[in-house]
Amino acid sequence: MTGHLERIKTFMEVASAGSFTAAARAQGSSSSAVTRHIADLEQTLGVQLFVRTTRKVSLTQAGAVYFEKVHPLISALAAADDGARAQQKALSGTLQVSCPLSFGTRFLQAPLTEFAELHPGIDLRINLTDSFVDIIKDGYDMALRISAAPADKSTIWRKICPVPRCLVAAPGYLEQAPPLATPADLPNHRCLSYTNQSDGDTWHLAHHAEETMRPVRLTPAFACNNGDLLAQMAAAGGGIVLLPRFIVADALAAGTLRTVLEDWRAPEIWLTAFYPPYQKLPLAIDRFTDVFEQHAGQFGL
C-alpha cells in the first residue's frame, strides 16, 4: 500500500508539473525513478495516464479522470500530515499520566509544576493509584511505575532509577517477637503484605554475599495495596513489612521503625516510565519525561 501511495503522489507531481524531470526535482529523486513509478502505476491500473512527447507530458483522458478522483484524497492526506506535525510542535492538548500513590504524593509536585510553567497549553491529568493500569486499554499517555523488570510486551519502557527496599518493624514489636536472625525465621513472625505485588505472600531474599534469591513463603497477618498504610501498621507494632525505603524514611529517622535482616536484600526494583508502543514518543510525552528525569536525581530514593 505504501508503494502504491508513493506512485500516486509521483503521478500527481508529474501531472501538476507537466514534466518528469520537474517532478523528480520536486521529490528529490531521479527521472528514472519517476518514470518507473508511473509505469508501475499504469500497469497496476491497466490504463495509460500520460502522453509523452519530446516537448511535454500531457494527461490522457483516463489520466485526467484519475487526477480528478485522487486529487482531493491526496490533498486531504497532506492536510492530515500537516495537522499532525503542528500538533507535535504546538504542545497542546491533554496528557494523561498514571503514577503510584505513595510516590506521587511525595515527589510529583515539583516536576508537575515545572512542566506546567514550561508548557501551559498542556492539560495535565494525573491519576494516583498503586494498581498497574493498562495504559493502552485505559487511555493513558504514559505511566510511572515502581516494579521489577517489566514483562509486558505491549508497551515500551525506560528505566529511570533504582528504588531501594528494606525490611522494617517497630522496636516494640521486635522486643516481644520471636528471634529473627535469618529469612527462615520470618514465618514465625507477623508479616504485612503488599497486595499489588504478584508474589506478595512470598518474599525473595538473598544474602548480600550471594546472588541466589531464597523464597520465603508467608501467611500475612495483614495485606493492603498501599505502602503508606502498611508502614503505619508496622509502626504501630503490626509486624514486619518489606517496602521501598522512601516510604519508611521518616519513620526510620524518627525511630518508630527500624530495619531488620540488614544483611539480606530483596530483588531490585526500578522507577520506570511506561508508554504505549509508539515508534517515536509524541513531543509532549517526551518533554514531560525529560522534566521528570531531571527531577529524579533530587528524589533521594
Side-chain angles (χ1 to χ4, degrees), residues 255-274:
T256 56
L257 287 174
R258 60 180 252 198
T259 57
V260 298
L261 296 178
E262 294 181 350
D263 291 336
W264 296 81
R265 56 183 173 81
E268 189 174 66
I269 59 174
W270 284 74
L271 173 60
T272 309
F274 281 74

Side-chain angles (χ1 to χ4, degrees), residues 66-149:
Y66 189 66
F67 182 89
E68 292 300 320
K69 294 290 186 181
V70 300
H71 184 270
L73 302 177
I74 297 300
S75 296
L77 180 61
D81 289 347
D82 291 342
R85 295 187 187 99
Q87 179 72 17
Q88 181 80 334
K89 294 178 181 178
L91 283 183
S92 62
T94 300
L95 184 62
Q96 299 203 67
V97 181
S98 174
C99 180
L101 175 60
S102 299
F103 177 86
T105 55
R106 285 170 172 80
F107 302 116
L108 208 53
Q109 176 269 322
L112 288 179
T113 299
E114 179 177 338
F115 183 81
E117 291 174 350
L118 291 172
H119 309 291
I122 294 292
D123 184 12
L124 283 168
R125 292 286 183 267
I126 308 299
N127 176 40
L128 296 181
T129 176
D130 288 337
S131 298
F132 276 16
V133 300
D134 185 326
I135 58 177
I136 298 174
K137 180 180 178 182
D138 297 335
Y140 287 95
D141 297 296
M142 65 177 292
L144 298 168
R145 294 178 180 171
I146 296 176
S147 66

Side-chain angles (χ1 to χ4, degrees), residues 197-266:
Q197 188 172 311
S198 59
D199 57 351
D201 294 347
T202 300
W203 290 349
H204 294 83
L205 300 168
H207 194 271
H208 284 308
E210 301 174 350
E211 291 294 328
T212 303
M213 292 284 168
R214 304 180 188 181
V216 181
R217 182 70 180 174
L218 309 170
T219 301
F222 176 76
C224 178
N225 67 345
N226 178 257
D228 284 313
L229 182 54
L230 287 167
Q232 292 169 15
M233 292 293 292
I240 300 170
V241 67
L242 173 64
L243 286 173
R245 182 173 286 274
F246 75 83
I247 292 180
V248 296
D250 289 344
L252 289 172
T256 56
L257 287 174
R258 60 180 252 198
T259 57
V260 298
L261 296 178
E262 294 181 350
D263 291 336
W264 296 81
R265 56 183 173 81

